[in-house]
Amino acid sequence: MIAFYELIKNAFDAVSPTGAEIRFEIALRRNDYLKFRHRAIEGQADLPRLKSDVEKALDPSAPEDSLERIREGIDAARDVESFVEALDALHASENRIIVSDQGTGMSRQDLIDNYLVIGTASRKRAIDAALAEHASGNRRAPFLGEKGIGRLSAMRLGDRLTVETAEAGDKRLNLLKIDWSAFDDLDAMLDEIDVAPERGASKPNNDWSGTRLIISALSADWTDDRVKYLGEHDFARLTDPFADAKRRPRIAIFWNGTRIPVAHMDRNLLAHAHASVKGRFLYKDSQPVLQCTYEARDLGFEHPVEIENREYPLADLEGSISGTSGEVPVSALDDLGEFDFEIYWFNRQRLGRIDSIGDRKVVRDLQRRWSGILLFRDGFRVLPYGEDDDDWLALDRRALASTGYLLNKTQFVGRVTISRLGNPLLIDQTNREGLRVCPEQQAFIGLLQLAIQSQLRGFMREVDRRHKDQPLNMKEAKTDVSHLEKRAKSALREIRRMAPESAEIVEQLQHTFFEIKEFFDRAQRRIDEVESENRQMVQMAGVGLLVEVVAHELARSTENALAALENLRGKEVPDRISGLLNSLRSEMTSVSKRVRVLDPLSVSGRQRKETFNLGSLIEDILSGHELQFERHNVKLKVNLPDHAVRIRAVKGMIVQILENLLSNSLYWLDLRKQHEPDFQPHISISLEVDPLTVTYEDNGRGIAKENRENVFRAFFSLKEKSKRRGLGLYIARDCAEYHGGSLALDSHVNRDTGRLHRFVLQLPDEVVVS
């Protein structure tokens, strides 16, 4: 299909007013030709029988002159050898694919200077000039391609190529004939073939211009049914099917003179989608912004049509696309360029009759035919995105690992539109099968995954939660930390082997590790005990998240120490090894402190209220993060009352509130530090009474005013994909409300960022113990 696509693009690059025409002139199927040839060579039939069978196999709809030449050539054969020779020659010459246009055409000199030069710079220079003018409003590239290799696509279809072309000022056709079978090495360059343009016959009329590519000695078996299938599926998706049918570039296909229809998508199907997201990535005041409109029409239960507009500015996109891992540089968002998308989700089980389309089966077949999220550049398809076997947005991989709404690729019908000038760094691979991998391509995919996998799914779940009134399914929150434990164990074993002189310190590390592992085991048992009550499920989701955080800290500490020991291998530096292990002991002790603070989360049975000093609990929690604060250079400002503030509450829930706030802060503070080297991160916590209030604030990226409530929704997250959970603040608010209190994002706008930074936890007077 890529071969046809490249040839069609060439027709439109030539500004053909009638688009592109593809004519299949097939008199004898290739499979029949191969069958008769084999029978003749193997002596499986006599000559009269072979001639008779060839006559029966001819397609009567083929051009009459081709049929006549085949009959005459076969009839002239006097023995099996001459029969095979005639069959070979006639199959090669009388089965053709003709790709034609009425564009500008080529002069004889063009054939020499450009057509016979691979990778010619002429188009590249034109593209570069257009890019330079793009700022002045030119939105259309002069060419759909620029390397000049599309012409070689004809080689994929057949061994022989005849080019008939002329410009408006030419009096005669310019001819070029190439026999690709002269090549043994298909990678050989075109200039290695001894070919030269020729003068041809007179043009059809004086004003005619255009190009005909006649491809013969075909390499594939072409049938009427196969071409019809291409018209209904592949050719139908080569140009944007979402566009107005009257404005779509014309592609006309013919089988032996009969027009084969190219399918058009009935947009009424899209009006019956069960949910959708439409959006645009653009620049406001030179800053990248992602705008999305989410709509839920029918999620399988009674609910009104829900529509929500969301906007994600640079501060949010830095976290979700670049993140603290830095795998995608934030500069890629600046260089990416604007693009649009519209994506429709269908619950195929609920698809029914649509009056303007047909019954349930017809509707489901239509949705299946157009399923996939297609990518178009300047109105033409970028392959293979959206093909049945392509999962470029990793929707199927995510769906298999998820519960709730399964957003796999066959449920979507959608398009993404880019342009050559607007997105100059989204360039095709040389083989025309996908975009080149680069930071801009990664950012592009990341933005679409954010809009679909994360935000559309979260929006649908929120509608479900508000209207369906079912317990939140928290299976995804159960975290398996076994692989993290294995990493830590392995690192400790290697440390013991590499530093035998420090056996005593390693023994202490091993003991600390076992204490931490016991906590993991208790937490997992606690998670497994809970199966029914929604609030308990929420709490166990919190346990799972916090266990995962601690497990990552443990694995990171031990593996960093091991890496440092590897660097010291073979050196006589016992003092440095001892110091390194002492540093590791400090880190593991810090992790152990956090375990002890988190321990109330994992006790058996229901969590019960107890009396404790809230100020002391805050200090204990912060103490467990001391080395993290030091590592990230975070300054703390803690304001606690001089006297003890004793409350009666579920200690584990209060721990979860503060731990989730700290976890978010450390992520966003680290992110800002990476992009602003002079940035000084800080966190401030104050505890006040009358009313009992904990105010928590950091100076990270902050939260957009539009997301003041969204951040408390289950599964809403703007962190990078690998760290995107979206449960922390949902759980934290649930913990506050369990005690009759509240957790809110204050409306105070930070003057530095223009965003919200301050969380306020209020607990009712009833929890205070006088």
Side-chain angles (χ1 to χ4, degrees):
M1 200 58 214
I2 290 177
F4 285 116
Y5 182 34
E6 292 299 322
L7 297 175
I8 288 169
K9 285 200 301 183
N10 283 347
F12 287 98
D13 281 344
V15 200
S16 173
T18 58
E21 290 188 358
I22 302 175
R23 294 180 178 271
F24 293 83
E25 295 184 353
I26 309 297
L28 179 66
R29 284 185 60 176
R30 176 176 173 78
N31 285 0
D32 287 338
Y33 151 70
L34 293 174
K35 178 179 65 177
F36 298 141
R37 192 178 194 280
H38 176 77
R39 286 171 58 192
I41 293 174
E42 296 297 323
Q44 296 177 357
D46 57 27
L47 188 59
R49 177 64 182 272
L50 288 170
K51 291 182 177 182
S52 173
D53 287 347
V54 169
E55 173 65 32
K56 293 176 183 177
L58 294 177
D59 189 328
S61 68
E64 188 57 41
D65 56 344
S66 289
L67 294 174
E68 189 59 32
R69 283 191 291 269
I70 292 176
R71 292 186 181 110
E72 290 177 356
I74 294 298
D75 187 59
R78 292 294 174 258
D79 52 39
V80 170
E81 183 177 348
S82 60
F83 171 84
V84 172
E85 290 177 357
L87 193 65
D88 288 344
L90 292 166
H91 172 263
S93 61
E94 299 305 327
N95 288 336
R96 298 176 291 272
I97 298 174
I98 302 171
V99 183
S100 62
D101 67 68
Q102 295 185 37
T104 54
M106 290 176 282
S107 66
R108 183 175 182 278
Q109 198 60 42
D110 286 335
L111 290 175
I112 296 171
D113 294 341
N114 296 326
Y115 201 87
L116 290 176
V117 178
I118 306 306
T120 175
S122 60
R123 289 192 173 189
K124 181 66 167 62
R125 284 193 289 267
I127 291 285
D128 289 344
L131 286 169
E133 297 173 4
H134 178 55
S136 64
N138 181 11
R139 297 284 298 178
R140 183 74 182 183
F143 299 108
L144 295 170
E146 63 186 60
K147 288 188 174 298
I149 64 172
R151 68 202 66 157
L152 297 184
S153 296
M155 184 170 33
R156 299 190 184 194
L157 299 174
D159 285 340
R160 298 179 188 174
L161 170 66
T162 299
V163 182
E164 298 179 350
T165 185
E167 294 182 323
D170 290 332
K171 293 182 179 179
R172 304 177 72 86
L173 294 174
N174 302 301
L175 301 182
L176 184 67
K177 296 180 179 180
I178 303 173
D179 185 350
W180 301 110
S181 64
F183 286 97
D184 291 324
D185 179 7
L186 292 180
D187 294 324
M189 298 300 290
L190 186 60
D191 58 10
E192 297 176 23
I193 308 174
D194 185 18
V195 294
E198 305 172 15
R199 303 283 279 183
S202 299
K203 296 194 308 182
N205 58 66
N206 290 338
D207 296 330
W208 186 89
S209 64
T211 299
R212 293 181 69 215
L213 305 178
I214 305 169
I215 304 163
S216 56
L218 303 180
S219 55
D221 182 49
W222 293 102
T223 66
D224 186 11
D225 287 341
R226 183 181 179 187
V227 174
K228 285 179 180 176
Y229 181 88
L230 289 177
E232 191 166 316
H233 295 85
D234 297 85
F235 282 109
R237 294 151 70 105
L238 280 185
T239 60
D240 188 351
F242 289 72
D244 186 335
K246 295 181 180 179
R247 296 188 176 185
R248 287 181 72 184
R250 177 179 177 267
I251 300 174
I253 307 171
F254 297 85
W255 172 264
N256 286 336
T258 301
R259 180 78 176 265
I260 302 296
V262 176
H264 297 282
M265 184 172 65
D266 188 338
R267 285 190 65 94
N268 198 35
L269 173 69
L270 306 180
H272 288 78
H274 299 106
S276 66
V277 54
K278 301 176 184 177
R280 188 181 188 198
F281 178 71
L282 70 160
Y283 297 89
K284 285 186 174 181
D285 300 323
S286 301
Q287 293 290 306
V289 175
L290 177 65
Q291 296 176 335
C292 296
T293 298
Y294 297 94
E295 182 173 358
R297 302 189 64 85
D298 179 7
L299 298 186
F301 53 88
E302 283 294 324
H303 67 85
V305 174
E306 295 271 359
I307 299 176
E308 184 174 323
N309 296 310
R310 295 182 185 176
E311 184 168 290
Y312 310 94
L314 176 61
D316 293 333
L317 298 181
E318 279 183 350
S320 57
I321 303 303
S322 182
T324 55
S325 66
E327 293 181 7
V328 181
V330 73
S331 60
L333 293 170
D334 296 323
D335 300 333
L336 173 56
E338 299 184 355
F339 64 88
D340 301 273
F341 56 92
E342 55 178 303
I343 295 163
Y344 302 84
W345 178 80
F346 294 84
N347 181 341
R348 288 178 50 81
Q349 299 301 318
R350 294 186 58 79
L351 276 175
R353 176 182 178 80
I354 299 175
D355 289 341
S356 63
I357 296 176
D359 61 22
R360 183 172 186 263
K361 183 181 184 306
V362 172
V363 171
R364 292 186 69 179
D365 288 347
L366 185 65
Q367 189 277 331
R368 181 68 183 85
R369 182 194 307 167
W370 294 105
S371 65
I373 298 176
L374 311 178
L375 177 61
F376 295 92
R377 180 193 288 112
D378 294 321
F380 286 82
R381 179 91 178 274
V382 178
L383 294 168
Y385 303 123
E387 294 293 279
D388 287 344
D389 57 354
D390 176 72
D391 189 20
W392 67 295
L393 297 178
L395 294 171
D396 283 358
R397 292 196 294 275
R398 175 66 183 269
L400 287 172
S402 301
T403 58
Y405 293 104
L406 303 181
L407 306 187
N408 60 53
K409 67 177 187 287
T410 59
Q411 294 174 318
F412 286 106
V413 174
R415 68 166 174 180
V416 184
T417 59
I418 61 176
S419 69
R420 182 65 186 88
L421 299 185
N423 311 98
L425 297 178
L426 298 183
I427 301 173
D428 291 355
Q429 296 183 43
T430 303
N431 62 4
R432 297 298 198 264
E433 295 185 359
L435 300 173
R436 292 183 192 170
V437 176
C438 64
E440 291 71 27
Q441 178 257 7
Q442 292 174 297
F444 174 62
I445 290 177
L447 289 165
L448 292 169
Q449 289 176 329
L450 173 67
I452 304 167
Q453 287 184 350
S454 175
Q455 301 300 301
L456 176 60
R457 181 193 296 271
F459 168 72
M460 292 164 67
R461 282 172 163 166
E462 176 63 16
V463 174
D464 186 300
R465 188 188 67 81
R466 284 190 282 109
H467 296 289
K468 198 173 180 182
D469 195 28
Q470 287 192 354
L472 185 65
N473 187 339
M474 303 304 295
K475 289 182 181 179
E476 289 184 48
K478 291 179 63 175
T479 306
D480 180 9
V481 298
S482 60
H483 68 289
L484 294 168
E485 294 175 13
K486 289 177 182 176
R487 283 167 47 190
K489 274 185 177 179
S490 175
L492 284 173
R493 281 196 302 269
E494 284 297 303
I495 290 170
R496 180 188 291 275
R497 184 181 63 81
M498 295 176 60
E501 71 280 4
S502 304
E504 183 179 346
I505 296 177
V506 175
E507 195 69 37
Q508 294 173 10
L509 295 176
Q510 194 77 42
H511 180 72
T512 305
F513 173 80
F514 284 136
E515 287 183 347
I516 294 169
K517 187 178 184 306
E518 285 180 9
F519 165 71
F520 292 163
D521 293 341
R522 290 197 305 273
Q524 189 61 52
R525 286 195 299 270
R526 177 72 181 103
I527 292 173
D528 292 339
E529 289 170 3
V530 180
E531 294 180 351
S532 56
E533 186 180 339
N534 186 41
R535 179 173 297 282
Q536 287 180 310
M537 289 299 290
V538 172
Q539 297 311 309
M540 290 311 100
V543 174
L545 292 175
L546 297 179
V547 166
E548 183 182 28
V549 170
V550 174
H552 274 290
E553 284 292 301
L554 178 64
R556 183 200 57 77
S557 299
T558 51
E559 288 176 340
N560 284 353
L562 178 60
L565 279 175
E566 288 282 359
N567 292 333
L568 297 176
R569 184 190 293 272
K571 300 177 182 178
E572 295 294 330
V573 283
D575 291 341
R576 291 179 64 183
I577 291 176
S578 178
L580 177 63
L581 293 178
N582 281 324
S583 175
L584 175 58
R585 179 167 55 185
S586 297
E587 291 213 40
M588 290 189 70
T589 300
S590 175
V591 172
S592 183
K593 282 184 182 179
R594 293 180 66 187
V595 167
R596 288 194 292 274
V597 172
L598 298 176
D599 199 59
L601 299 176
S602 61
V603 295
S604 298
R606 287 178 178 270
Q607 298 193 63
R608 292 184 172 85
K609 293 183 179 180
E610 58 183 293
T611 300
F612 57 91
N613 184 342
L614 180 57
S616 296
L617 180 63
I618 292 173
E619 289 178 329
D620 288 343
I621 293 171
L622 295 176
S623 174
H625 288 274
E626 281 180 354
L627 286 177
Q628 267 190 305
F629 295 147
E630 182 179 337
R631 192 166 63 248
H632 294 280
N633 196 28
V634 176
K635 302 299 182 184
L636 276 182
K637 181 180 179 182
V638 183
N639 183 17
L640 302 177
D642 295 332
H643 60 281
V645 179
R646 297 178 63 76
I647 65 172
R648 183 169 178 75
V650 179
K651 183 183 285 189
M653 290 188 177
I654 304 303
V655 170
Q656 288 196 64
I657 294 172
L658 294 172
E659 282 285 349
N660 281 315
L661 291 172
L662 284 167
S663 176
N664 282 339
S665 285
L666 289 169
Y667 177 86
W668 294 104
L669 289 170
D670 189 29
L671 179 69
R672 187 170 181 183
K673 180 67 175 177
Q674 288 184 18
H675 295 292
E676 301 175 31
D678 297 330
F679 170 67
Q680 174 59 65
H682 68 71
I683 294 172
S684 65
I685 302 175
S686 65
L687 172 60
E688 299 174 357
V689 294
D690 195 25
L692 182 57
T693 304
V694 178
T695 303
Y696 181 99
E697 188 170 2
D698 66 37
N699 65 335
R701 282 299 185 209
I703 297 167
K705 290 178 284 186
E706 296 80 11
N707 289 330
R708 186 181 175 194
E709 281 301 311
N710 288 338
V711 293
F712 294 104
R713 291 181 175 180
F715 306 106
F716 180 91
S717 175
L718 294 173
K719 291 181 180 178
E720 62 188 296
K721 186 168 53 176
S722 63
K723 300 174 182 177
R724 198 177 290 160
R725 299 290 186 275
L727 289 169
L729 291 177
Y730 174 85
I731 292 167
R733 172 174 276 187
D734 184 84
C735 291
E737 292 176 348
Y738 177 82
H739 292 88
S742 64
L743 177 65
L745 182 57
D746 192 80
S747 60
H748 172 74
V749 177
N750 183 287
R751 285 184 297 178
D752 180 32
T753 64
R755 291 159 69 88
L756 310 180
H757 292 251
R758 184 180 300 163
F759 288 91
V760 178
L761 167 65
Q762 285 194 332
L763 295 173
D765 294 339
E766 290 76 24
V767 306
V768 179
V769 177
S770 56

